[in-house]
Every structure is written in structure tokens, then in C-alpha cells.
């Protein structure tokens, strides 16, 4: 699904525009309050297809700032301005008042390649597909397009890879180096294309001769694909199969892991998302703690790896994933809607994972308790002894990895454990941290 940023300071209009854009244009709406807010998001989410912004917000020349940024960065993001903005109206569509939601929907549909039928049912012609779908395939079952700007508010879709053409990772990397963030495929091929990519990834992950590095990289692409699909809060057969194979592959990599320093170096030097860096290191830390327990069985690692793979799956951005306390959440620059997503993410993950046939009672319980609360809402500052012992291990491993991955916090084990020891008063948590004090392999 395409993503659209909406900057509208009138709360009622904001709701009205968002609902209709979602319903009629089928685009995912991300709310932003001003230009600064939007620029921070564009830096981490440059694939946003469209921005709909008020010309000015509280005196700030919002549209002009966004226009300059898009131009400077050479982004393929289009802009629709609500209200007069003479400085940029020669190049950008600026809608004059009165602005109805119907006009916005019509213009957004034009920009995103969506056909609005007379019946007002959405007919999406072209659907964006992130580049990570293409890294593990060398052929596609359908034609692949790119979107280019044709006029002030018009886009054209040009065929770039023909069905059954051969290509490799270098070809895709070249597109990426030129600033391309996503390809497009015709709507009717989405299911077919996804099944094709899923099968290719599963076949690759099931190979025995993959190097550890290749296995981690392929699992990270699979993780991105599953996350993207689950963010619609649905789970389908392709996501179920792909996640099962990916988790098995993750367990296999964790059990034969590289030395910690080399692993971190590898995770950072490659195009591995923050989400997968976190999930993989988290499974590794769980494995490390589990291996020090007398009762440890492989099944425990399978359970905690499953949870690590899915726990933050409903969160859309890295800043959301970095939050690990209510205090951090309140101090963050996230919008109110994003804060709510963070607050409820353990419960949301629990709801969606409950539909996964492999999710047993342990998995569901640990996901719900993954931030120290029994109800899966918000965060606990000092998790209680009441939580399941596997949840306690997960919480300690998760906290350790979040500090390790935070560039503003220490990255050596001794300092990380010193920070952590201030938080947990429960004896069992202290015991788990003791296991982490021992030398990593
Ligand atoms: Fe989480």
C-alpha cells in the first residue's frame, strides 16, 4: 500500500480527509503536525509517495519547506498543497479554498495511479512494491514499472523489467543508488507476485549450503516482507509460511552464530533493517541466557525466537521501535497516533499472532508480557516476578539489545548491565542479568 503524509491542523478535517483517502484511494495515512516533524520522518521513510499539506501551519511556511526539501533530496514524493502558496504554485498543485475531501481524493488518486470508479469503489491500478522484494529473485512473473513525474500533478508508469526478464541483485542496487525506493506492479498481479517471491525466499532459506551471512541477509528481507504484510493487521498463508521458514532460519543462525563483534559489524555493514537487527540480536541474547539455564531445551529457543520475530511487528518506524518506557514515549517527537501504536503494540502483536497456527500459549503469553505488563498495554518500569519465566528472559534480552542498538547509549556489556541493574528490583531478573555477565562466545 502507498503511504501518504497528511499535515492538517484542524482535527475534524484531518479525520475527514484521512478516512476518505484510506477508503477511496487505498493509501496508508501518516499524520504529521508541521514541516520539521515531516522532514524527520522523510529521512527515515523516503519512500512516502505523497504529502498533502496545509500551505502554512501556525505561521510556518510548511509547504515551501517541504517543497525545498523534496527538491534538494531529489525525492520521488509528490506534494499537494491545501491553500494558496504563490512561491511554488508554478510547479506544485495548490488547492484554493473551499477545499472538499472529494477534491483531495480526486487529486491524490491522480498522483498515486489510482482509478476512482463511478461507484466510488477503489480500483488501484498500480501498487508500490518495496525494493527488498527483489533482492532474492532473478526473474519476475509479471511486468515491473517505475513511477515518473509527467506534469505538475501527473505521474506516468513506465515498464522497466519485463515478465521473465533475468536480473540480479546488482541491477536492483543500481536502481536503489539512483534514488528509487519502490517499483510498481499492476494490482491484479499482487497476489501472484507475492507468492512467487515468498516461494523463492522459502526455497533459499531451506538450502543447507547458505553461508551464515547470506542466511541472515535473506532472513532479514523475509522479515521485512512479513512485517509489511502484518502491518495491515492481517495474516495470510504467505506470511504464515514465510515467517515459519524465517524463524527456523533465524534459530539456525543463532545456534551457529558468528562472534558477537563480527555479527554486529555484519548487521550494520549490510542493508539489514533496524527491525531485523533488533529481532536477530534479541534471539541471540535469549539463546545466550537460555544456554546458561539447567532446564534449557531447544523448544525454549524456538519460542523466544518466534516472539522476537513478531513482537514489534505492528510498529511502522524505527523511532517507534526504539522506545522502551512510558517516559521515553512521552518525551519522544512521535505524534499522538504513533504514541498510541507504541502503547498498544504488544497487545496488537498478541492479537495478530493469535491467528498464526504455530503460535502456542507460551508464545502468546510472552508477546503480551513483552514489556513487563500482563495486559500488553504500555510499559512497566520494574516488571514483577508474576510474569512467566520465559517472559522475564525475553524482557532482559530485549532491554540489553535496545541499549546496544542505541547510538546514544554505551555499547559495551559492562556499561549496559550497569544501566539495566538500576531498573529491575526482582531477584529473578537479577539472576538473569548475572547470566549475561559471563563471557559471550
Ligand atoms: Fe516491543
Amino acid at each position: 500500500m502507498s503511504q501518504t503524509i497528511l499535515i492538517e491542523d484542524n482535527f475534524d478535517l484531518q479525520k475527514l480527509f484521512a478516512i476518505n483517502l484510506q477508503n477511496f484511494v487505498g493509501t496508508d495515512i501518516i499524520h504529521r503536525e508541521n514541516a520539521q516533524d515531516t522532514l524527520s520522518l522523510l529521512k527515515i521513510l523516503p519512500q512516502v509517495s505523497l504529502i498533502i499539506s496545509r500551505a502554512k501551519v501556525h505561521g510556518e511556511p510548511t509547504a515551501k519547506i517541504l517543497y525545498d526539501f523534496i527538491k534538494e533530496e531529489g525525492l520521488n514524493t509528490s506534494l499537494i498543497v491545501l491553500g494558496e502558496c504563490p512561491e511554488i504554485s508554478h510547479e506544485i498543485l495548490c488547492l484554493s479554498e473551499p477545499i472538499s475531501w472529494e477534491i483531495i481524493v480526486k487529486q491524490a488518486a491522480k498522483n498515486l495511479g489510482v482509478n476512482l470508479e463511478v461507484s466510488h469503489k477503489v480500483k488501484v491500478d498500480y501498487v508500490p512494491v518495496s525494493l527488498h522484494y527483489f533482492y532474492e529473485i532473478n526473474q519476475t512473473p509479471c511486468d515491473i514499472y517505475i513511477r515518473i513525474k509527467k506534469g505538475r500533478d501527473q505521474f506516468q508508469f513506465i515498464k522497466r523489467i519485463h515478465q521473465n526478464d533475468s536480473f540480479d541483485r546488482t541491477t536492483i542496487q543500481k536502481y536503489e543508488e539512483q534514488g528509487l525506493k519502490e517499483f510498481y506492479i499492476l494490482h491484479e498481479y499482487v497476489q501472484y507476485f507475492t507468492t512467487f517471491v515468498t516461494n523463492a525466499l522459502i526455497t533459499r532459506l531451506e538450502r543447507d549450503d547458505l553461508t551464515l551471512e547470506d542466511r541472515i541477509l535473506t532472513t532479514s528481507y523475509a522479515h521485512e516482507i512479513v512485517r509489511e504484510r502484518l502491518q495491515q493487521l492481517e495474516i495470510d498463508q504467505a506470511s504464515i509460511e514465510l515467517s515459519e521458514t524465517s524463524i527456523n532460519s533465524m534459530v539456525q543462525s543463532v545456534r551457529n552464530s558468528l562472534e558477537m563483534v563480527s555479527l554486529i559489524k555484519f548487521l550494520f555493514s549490510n542493508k539489514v533493517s533496524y527491525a531485523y537487527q533488533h529481532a536477530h540480536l534479541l534471539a541471540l541474547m535469549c539463546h545466550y541466557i537460555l544456554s546458561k539455564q539447567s532446564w534449557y531445551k531447544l523448544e525454549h529457543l524456538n519460542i523466544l525466537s518466534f516472539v522476537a520475530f513478531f513482537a514489534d511487528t505492528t510498529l511502522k518506524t524505527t523511532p517507534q521501535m526504539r522506545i522502551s518506557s512510558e517516559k521515553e514515549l512521552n518525551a519522544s517527537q512521535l505524534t499522538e497516533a504513533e504514541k498510541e501504536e507504541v502503547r498498544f503494540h504488544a497487545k496488537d502483536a498478541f492479537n495478530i499472532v493469535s491467528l498464526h497456527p504455530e503460535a502456542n500459549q507460551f508464545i502468546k503469553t510472552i508477546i503480551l508480557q513483552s514489556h513487563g505488563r500482563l495486559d500488553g498495554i504500555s510499559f512497566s518500569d520494574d516488571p514483577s516476578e508474576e510474569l512467566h519465566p520465559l517472559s522475564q528472559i525475553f524482557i532482559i534480552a530485549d532491554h540489553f539489545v535496545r541499549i546496544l542498538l542505541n547510538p546514544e547509549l554505551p555499547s559495551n556489556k559492562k556499561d549496559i548491565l550497569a544501566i539495566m541493574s538500576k531498573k529491575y528490583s526482582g531477584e529473578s531478573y537479577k539472576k538473569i542479568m548475572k547470566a549475561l555477565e559471563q563471557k559471550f562466545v
Side-chain angles (χ1 to χ4, degrees), residues 389-408:
L390 285 176
S391 302
Q392 298 179 0
I393 291 179
F394 185 87
I395 288 166
I396 293 293
D398 182 53
H399 195 178
F400 187 94
V401 173
R402 261 175 230 278
I403 297 177
L404 182 70
L405 289 178
N406 187 336
E408 286 163 18

Side-chain angles (χ1 to χ4, degrees), residues 152-179:
R152 199 171 71 140
D153 58 341
Q154 280 183 331
F155 284 83
Q156 193 177 2
F157 293 85
I158 296 179
K159 199 180 287 182
R160 267 305 155 93
I161 303 174
H162 290 76
Q163 177 187 4
N164 296 332
D165 268 3
S166 289
F167 58 88
D168 58 16
R169 203 179 273 189
T170 331
T171 316
I172 307 302
Q173 267 158 357
K174 274 188 193 144
Y175 278 108
E176 194 174 5
E177 281 157 18
Q178 287 164 16

Side-chain angles (χ1 to χ4, degrees), residues 278 282 310-313 315 320-321 323-324 342 345-346 349 367 370-371 379 394 398 402:
H278 175 251
L282 176 50
F310 279 112
D312 286 352
T313 202
L315 296 177
Q320 284 181 307
M321 288 179 233
I323 307 273
S324 62
V342 175
H345 81 276
I367 287 196
S370 58
H371 286 288
F379 302 85
F394 185 87
D398 182 53
R402 261 175 230 278

Side-chain angles (χ1 to χ4, degrees), residues 72-248:
E72 267 165 36
E73 299 293 314
L75 299 182
N76 194 23
T77 308
S78 55
L79 179 63
I80 296 175
V81 178
L82 311 180
E84 307 287 342
C85 194
E87 307 100 292
I88 58 174
S89 57
H90 57 291
E91 259 193 79
I92 298 292
L93 176 71
C94 302
L95 300 171
S96 316
E97 298 288 356
I99 303 166
S100 64
W101 67 260
E102 287 93 341
I103 292 176
I104 294 180
V105 161
K106 204 173 133 206
Q107 291 303 336
K110 245 185 181 178
N111 285 40
L112 296 171
V114 173
N115 244 349
L116 296 172
E117 286 180 331
V118 189
S119 66
H120 270 189
K121 268 180 87 183
V122 184
K123 182 175 172 287
V124 182
D125 281 352
Y126 295 92
V127 177
V129 183
S130 318
L131 290 195
H132 50 250
Y133 277 81
F134 292 84
Y135 282 119
E136 298 292 340
I137 54 174
N138 45 29
Q139 243 181 10
T140 93
C142 57
D143 295 331
I144 305 296
Y145 300 78
I146 58 166
R147 186 180 81 146
I148 57 162
K149 199 168 184 182
K150 211 171 128 198
R152 199 171 71 140
D153 58 341
Q154 280 183 331
F155 284 83
Q156 193 177 2
F157 293 85
I158 296 179
K159 199 180 287 182
R160 267 305 155 93
I161 303 174
H162 290 76
Q163 177 187 4
N164 296 332
D165 268 3
S166 289
F167 58 88
D168 58 16
R169 203 179 273 189
T170 331
T171 316
I172 307 302
Q173 267 158 357
K174 274 188 193 144
Y175 278 108
E176 194 174 5
E177 281 157 18
Q178 287 164 16
L180 191 84
K181 303 286 180 245
E182 55 205 1
F183 286 112
Y184 284 79
I185 57 177
L186 281 167
H187 179 254
E188 52 266 39
Y189 285 107
V190 171
Q191 192 60 44
Y192 187 39
F193 176 78
T194 314
T195 310
F196 179 87
V197 175
T198 304
N199 288 342
L201 280 165
I202 291 177
T203 309
R204 187 166 161 81
L205 289 173
E206 281 176 347
R207 273 170 47 180
D208 290 330
D209 59 341
L210 268 193
T211 64
L212 192 56
E213 286 88 347
D214 278 344
R215 178 169 297 288
I216 293 175
L217 211 51
T218 305
T219 315
S220 76
Y221 296 136
H223 185 241
E224 277 308 291
I225 291 174
V226 173
R227 267 173 25 82
E228 211 172 280
R229 297 175 73 78
L230 262 60
Q231 281 177 6
Q232 321 294 328
L233 298 180
E234 284 169 14
I235 191 158
D236 57 10
Q237 198 50 36
S239 315
I240 289 170
E241 284 169 22
L242 189 54
S243 61
E244 273 172 21
T245 313
S246 304
I247 293 164
N248 287 339

